[in-house]
């Protein structure tokens, strides 16, 4: 479990990073949920994508952070959804080792 203000801290850091990222990628092509980001870069060949990837690593390194950049052509797994860029569709995504955990409604677990 994280701290009580972890989500708010994540949002503030995210807004700061989105602002910084907009110097590399147009802001309307960026999205962020907590610590998961998604960017759409259109009309870029392999060398241009590699330069962008290097700039992203450099920007995050300057902030004392690390980033994982994955380049996909057709679809991407983002959060719990598979986004198909080619078909402009989406479907549910479940990680291979994901085991759902259910809590009995009548348990002594505190309600959220």
């Amino acid at each position: 479990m994280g701290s009580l203000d972890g989500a708010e801290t994540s949002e503030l850091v995210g807004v700061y990073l989105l602002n910084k990222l907009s110097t590399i990628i147009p802001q309307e092509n960026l999205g962020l949920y907590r610590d998961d980001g998604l960017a759409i870069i259109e009309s870029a060949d392999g060398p241009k994508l590699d330069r962008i990837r290097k700039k992203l690593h450099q920007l995050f390194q300057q902030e004392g952070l690390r980033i994982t950049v994955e380049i996909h052509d057709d679809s991407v797994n983002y959060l719990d959804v598979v986004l198909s860029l080619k078909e402009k569709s989406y479907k549910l995504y479940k990680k291979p080792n994901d085991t759902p955990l259910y809590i009995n409604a009548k348990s002594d677990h505190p309600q959220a």
Side-chain angles (χ1 to χ4, degrees):
M1 291 186 55
S3 66
L4 294 175
D5 58 354
E8 289 82 5
T9 302
S10 177
E11 294 292 329
L12 287 172
V13 171
V15 170
Y16 172 75
L17 290 173
L18 281 173
N19 182 53
K20 292 275 215 175
L21 287 169
S22 67
T23 63
I24 301 170
I25 301 168
Q27 195 164 7
E28 61 272 9
N29 291 359
L30 292 169
L32 184 70
Y33 179 78
R34 302 287 191 247
D35 64 345
D36 290 315
L38 182 65
I40 298 175
I41 302 169
E42 299 175 292
S43 304
D45 58 7
K48 183 176 181 179
L49 289 173
D50 195 48
R51 286 191 301 274
I52 291 171
R53 183 185 58 78
K54 287 178 183 177
K55 286 180 184 178
L56 292 172
H57 281 284
Q58 184 180 26
L59 184 144
F60 275 74
Q61 189 176 24
Q62 289 171 353
E63 300 298 331
L65 301 169
R66 290 179 297 172
I67 185 173
T68 301
V69 178
E70 297 177 10
I71 298 174
H72 301 274
D73 289 334
D74 298 334
S75 66
V76 63
N77 301 329
Y78 183 67
L79 302 175
D80 293 332
V81 180
V82 177
L83 302 170
S84 174
L85 305 174
K86 196 176 255 185
E87 299 171 12
K88 296 185 179 180
S89 64
Y90 62 91
K91 63 182 178 180
L92 182 64
Y93 171 71
K94 183 180 167 190
K95 293 181 181 177
N97 296 329
D98 183 35
T99 305
L101 177 63
Y102 299 98
I103 298 173
N104 187 324
K106 296 182 181 187
S107 74
D108 195 23
H109 187 78
Q111 292 183 350

